[in-house]
Amino acid sequence: MSPAPRRRRSVIVVAGESDNDREVLQHLIPALYPRCPKVVTINDKIRLAPALLQLSPRIETLRTNALRKAEGCGADLAGVVVHADLDKVSDETYDQVRERITDQLRKSLPCPSALALSAVEMESWLMLFPDAFPKVRRGWAMRPEDCRKDLTKVANPKEHLKKYLGRPPYRESDSPKIMAAAVELGRVSARPSGNNRSFRDFADQLAAWRNK
């Protein structure tokens, strides 16, 4: 009797605006999604939030490249996660942008999808995990008043961290290390103690995959 065919593994494909953002998500997704398959990235510098009138061709390119990446890994495509910076504080525009991109992803992709639409930037998500910063640089500490803010209303979180975090100044290349430290400390959950709706919306989309 011949052995049963070996079951193909699955992968989650991550796309986004920068190498650092994609690497942040590689640390974050397994912390939020139980029994997460391998998370791999594609290097498309995809920018969806400013391109609402050109979504279809950009997402079609994303679909093609995600399928190609999974096939190159000898795996099935279990899901696609896309990062985009909103580049503005959360207001009524946030809901419109999120709904438009989410609907197009669901129509175009052959698998579950989740939109990591960070308001304003990915740094506002990092600020949910203040204990992670001193683990990366001993001199870093978030101000107590920043821990109590609605982080989607911080107009420029990247510059905010550079100004207030401490020395040496924050750099974008520090972001994956900060998220990795937050995961290692066990601080990452769908409902962290800080306040950032855009993070919660992403976590909720990932949680919905369990029912699919």
Side-chain angles (χ1 to χ4, degrees), residues 17-164:
E17 298 181 7
S18 76
D19 293 340
N20 293 320
D21 294 330
R22 292 189 290 269
E23 191 175 344
V24 166
L25 288 171
Q26 280 189 289
H27 293 296
L28 176 60
I29 293 166
L32 293 175
Y33 187 53
R35 295 188 297 278
C36 182
K38 185 177 181 179
V39 181
V40 298
T41 66
I42 52 178
N43 295 327
D44 309 39
K45 294 189 183 301
I46 186 165
R47 288 181 60 81
L48 296 180
L52 292 185
L53 299 179
Q54 304 171 5
L55 274 183
S56 293
R58 294 190 183 203
I59 292 179
E60 178 59 27
T61 299
L62 170 65
R63 185 188 74 84
T64 300
N65 291 345
L67 287 167
R68 184 179 296 136
K69 181 70 175 186
E71 190 58 37
C73 295
D76 294 324
L77 184 60
V80 172
V81 171
V82 187
H83 169 259
D85 283 333
L86 185 64
D87 290 332
K88 59 175 70 176
V89 297
S90 175
D91 55 17
E92 65 277 2
T93 306
Y94 168 80
D95 291 303
Q96 296 167 8
V97 172
R98 169 167 276 285
E99 183 177 350
R100 180 81 179 274
I101 297 175
T102 295
D103 286 348
Q104 194 65 47
L105 288 170
R106 287 174 176 163
K107 290 175 184 174
S108 304
L109 296 176
C111 61
S113 60
L115 175 61
L117 180 63
S118 49
V120 170
E121 301 163 324
M122 184 65 85
E123 279 74 12
S124 69
W125 289 17
L126 301 179
M127 291 170 72
L128 287 167
F129 311 108
D131 293 348
F133 289 94
K135 286 291 183 181
V136 176
R137 302 273 186 243
R138 190 175 298 174
W140 283 356
M142 273 182 56
R143 303 183 306 170
E145 59 265 38
D146 289 336
C147 298
R148 296 189 290 270
K149 287 181 177 177
D150 177 351
L151 295 171
T152 68
K153 303 296 186 183
V154 177
N156 193 330
K158 192 181 281 99
E159 293 303 317
H160 191 91
L161 288 178
K162 288 178 182 178
K163 182 175 181 179
Y164 293 114

